[in-house]
Amino acid sequence: MVNPGDIYVLAGLVASDREHWTYRGLAAELDVPLPFVQRALKRSAEAGLYDPELRRVRLPNFEEFLLHAVRYVAPARLGEVVPGVPAAWAAEPVSSEIREPGSALPPVWPSAVGRVRGQAIDPLHKGAVSAAERNPRLSAILAIIDSLRAGNARVRSVAAALVRDELLGRGARWE
């Protein structure tokens, strides 16, 4: 059974610029332990989301999973008002497509060094906050995924339109 951490690892692998990667390197990029990556990719392979022989995400399957299942496998709800890092529809690329009323509090990943006050949304993994700051593509993918997890119908529609563009970015290959 795929869990939120597995989705985070798959997003990290899609966001990686490297053709040749290592489990250890991916773990370091995502701020997770090495066994976490190994177990996540094993479960993802069993679910048909990762090809262990080609060592890459099965993008058509991952796209379908994100569009139709992620909000049920890894649901997210907006919580209390906290300082944090913009997430979901408050982060790029979704934020450039959606305009919220000025009075609406943005969704944020809680962070002590956060620069924005907003409603808390739990990231797929606690390492996402620091990893996304270092990797803008990972940040964009996670913003789209969080929009699919926590957004209303309008937000999910915008995020769904961005999924394929972001997954195809930077030379990703479809099977």
Side-chain angles (χ1 to χ4, degrees), residues 30 32 55 58-59 67 73 76 78 84 89 94 125 127 135 149 157 167 173:
L30 298 176
V32 298
R55 294 176 43 96
R58 291 183 170 154
L59 292 176
L67 295 178
V73 173
L78 296 176
W89 56 92
V94 187
H125 186 273
N135 184 335
R149 293 171 58 218
S157 175
L167 292 181
R173 292 182 303 252

Side-chain angles (χ1 to χ4, degrees), residues 136-172:
R137 182 143 189 257
L138 176 61
S139 178
I141 292 169
L142 293 175
I144 293 167
I145 292 172
D146 281 350
S147 294
L148 292 168
R149 293 171 58 218
N152 60 24
R154 180 176 65 102
V155 169
R156 287 193 317 272
S157 175
V158 168
L162 293 169
V163 166
R164 186 174 185 111
D165 291 340
E166 193 55 46
L167 292 181
L168 279 172
R170 300 219 182 160

Side-chain angles (χ1 to χ4, degrees), residues 43-65:
R43 283 188 298 269
S44 297
E46 291 169 357
L49 299 173
Y50 172 75
D51 186 328
E53 290 181 20
L54 297 176
R55 294 176 43 96
R56 67 179 186 203
V57 177
R58 291 183 170 154
L59 292 176
N61 299 3
F62 191 46
E63 176 188 24
E64 182 179 8
F65 174 81

Side-chain angles (χ1 to χ4, degrees), residues 97-122:
E97 301 290 327
I98 293 195
R99 296 289 174 227
E100 290 291 322
S103 60
L105 289 172
V108 297
W109 289 332
S111 172
V113 295
R115 57 190 184 279
V116 176
R117 285 191 64 73
Q119 287 187 277
I121 180 174
D122 289 331

